[in-house]
Amino acid sequence: TGNGYTATSVNGTSYLRVDDDAPGSGTLTNATITTPEFPALGYDTLTMKFKSVFKSWGGKGYLEVWRPVNGVFGWQAIDSITADEGIGTTATGWAAVTKTYNVTAYQSNQFKARLRYDDKNSWAGWWAIDDFQLYGTLSQTGNVRVAITTDIWF
């Protein structure tokens, strides 16, 4: 436990971690994890949330969404992390930071998100992620009224 590499959990369950030191010095790390595609169009609000523990040592983390721009889909960065966060202390262990993003403006029928870690060509740190969520609100459709405005009889 603690704030080093021996932590095996962010919150007591399994989690995802990219560790730039694992492959050793001189190895370039540019790792990604991508969510499945979600049909997320028409929501009133769409929110993405996860817990993060990030050790920089020169590395950089990116949160990106797959979205159409002028009809062409591509990855767009909505946040980047360059400073340590959630490291905690040796005595208390990690103190994960909850990251919350309003992604309503990026919704589509092919919505997906990607977390990307880039060591910036140096022997850098790591990024631990847990409890990833995508959720939204969708208003109910009100009563539909149809008015027949013809004088044709059958």
Side-chain angles (χ1 to χ4, degrees):
T1 61
N3 65 351
Y5 297 105
T6 58
T8 58
S9 175
V10 172
N11 69 355
T13 62
S14 298
Y15 71 107
L16 169 78
R17 180 168 66 186
V18 174
D19 185 351
D20 191 55
D21 287 347
S25 179
T27 304
L28 176 65
T29 302
N30 193 349
T32 62
I33 181 106
T34 305
T35 68
E37 198 171 273
F38 296 99
L41 185 62
Y43 282 83
D44 300 319
T45 63
L46 194 60
T47 304
M48 191 167 25
K49 182 177 172 180
F50 59 91
K51 290 183 180 155
S52 173
V53 180
F54 188 84
K55 182 66 178 172
S56 175
W57 283 329
K60 189 171 184 178
Y62 299 88
L63 175 61
E64 300 168 327
V65 293
W66 183 249
R67 69 169 300 208
V69 176
N70 296 324
V72 178
F73 277 86
W75 290 109
Q76 178 176 342
I78 62 171
D79 196 9
S80 62
I81 304 169
T82 56
D84 293 356
E85 68 179 25
I87 299 299
T89 67
T90 303
T92 61
W94 290 350
V97 173
T98 299
K99 310 286 274 182
T100 304
Y101 301 90
N102 180 340
V103 292
T104 306
Y106 307 110
Q107 62 182 298
S108 74
N109 277 328
Q110 300 172 6
F111 182 88
K112 55 186 171 180
R114 168 169 89 173
L115 298 149
R116 185 167 59 92
Y117 178 85
D118 183 356
D119 71 0
K120 308 306 272 178
N121 241 0
S122 67
W123 199 16
W126 42 267
W127 194 5
I129 298 162
D130 202 0
D131 296 340
F132 184 91
Q133 300 174 46
L134 177 66
Y135 57 92
T137 59
L138 187 60
S139 296
Q140 292 183 344
T141 303
N143 294 333
V144 177
R145 182 177 177 168
V146 177
I148 299 174
T149 57
T150 182
D151 291 333
I152 300 173
W153 298 91
F154 295 97

